[in-house]
Amino acid sequence: RIRIEITGDHPSIQRDAALIHGLRNLIQNAVDFASVEVLIEAKTDRREIRLRIADDGPGFPATILPRLGSPFLTTRPRSEDGRSYEGMGLGLFIAKTLLERSGAAVRFGNRQRGAQVTVTWPREVIEAKNDRAALGQNPHISE
C-alpha cells in the first residue's frame, strides 16, 4: 500500500526527466523493501519543499548507511517471496546525484521500523517560474 500525505500549498514545479527518474528510483526501493506500506509525505512552506519516502521494511543496514548514495557493491537481503537483489549500489547513487543536481539535499536514514529518504529543495530552485512553467496534467489515454 502506498499512502500519500500532503501538507501546505501545492506549488507547480518544472517537469524534469532527471527529477522524475531520481524520485521513481527512491519510491521503487521503498516498495521493494516495504512489509505493508510506503509513506510519501510532501510538506511545503514559504522557504522549502520537502519530500519524505518511508517504508516499514527492515531499514538500511547500519554498516552501509554512511555510504548510501555512493557507488559500492551491495547485496540486498532475500525477501520472503524469494527475490534477491545484487548490484553496485548505483541506483541510489544515480538518484541522489540527479536530485542534488536539481538543487535538492538528500538524506538517508532509518526510522524505528523501516528506512526513510528525505529530499529537500529551496522553493526558489525548484518552483516553476514564468520561463520554466510546469507542463500540467498528463493527458488521459484510453485503451
Side-chain angles (χ1 to χ4, degrees):
R1 174 179 54 220
I2 297 177
R3 182 167 47 107
I4 300 171
E5 295 180 1
I6 301 172
T7 306
D9 61 350
H10 298 96
S12 292
I13 62 169
Q14 174 64 30
R15 186 183 205 119
D16 180 287
L19 182 99
I20 293 167
H21 180 81
L23 291 175
R24 183 177 55 205
N25 180 281
L26 297 178
I27 294 167
Q28 185 61 55
N29 280 341
V31 168
D32 286 348
F33 287 100
S35 294
V36 176
E37 182 177 79
V38 172
L39 169 65
I40 302 172
E41 182 180 61
K43 291 186 177 183
T44 62
D45 61 31
R46 62 183 183 82
R47 293 173 308 187
E48 66 183 21
I49 297 171
R50 179 177 298 146
L51 188 68
R52 184 170 68 103
I53 301 161
D55 65 61
D56 61 353
F60 294 117
T63 56
I64 67 167
L65 193 54
R67 296 181 292 156
L68 280 175
S70 301
F72 61 91
L73 181 62
T74 181
T75 302
R76 294 181 176 186
R78 184 173 294 278
S79 65
E80 290 178 9
D81 65 2
R83 295 177 299 168
S84 65
Y85 300 85
E86 294 186 10
M88 298 296 292
L90 291 176
L92 286 179
F93 168 72
I94 292 168
K96 181 177 184 271
T97 300
L98 291 172
L99 293 169
E100 286 176 342
R101 286 185 181 173
S102 75
V106 181
R107 291 189 331 249
F108 299 95
N110 285 322
R111 308 183 314 152
Q112 189 170 1
R113 174 81 173 124
Q116 71 178 8
V117 180
T118 305
V119 185
T120 307
W121 293 268
R123 279 186 89 127
E124 69 267 9
V125 303
I126 195 70
E127 199 164 20
K129 310 284 189 275
N130 289 339
D131 61 337
R132 294 184 59 204
L135 295 177
Q137 296 290 326
N138 288 328
H140 177 72
I141 300 173
S142 57
E143 294 178 35

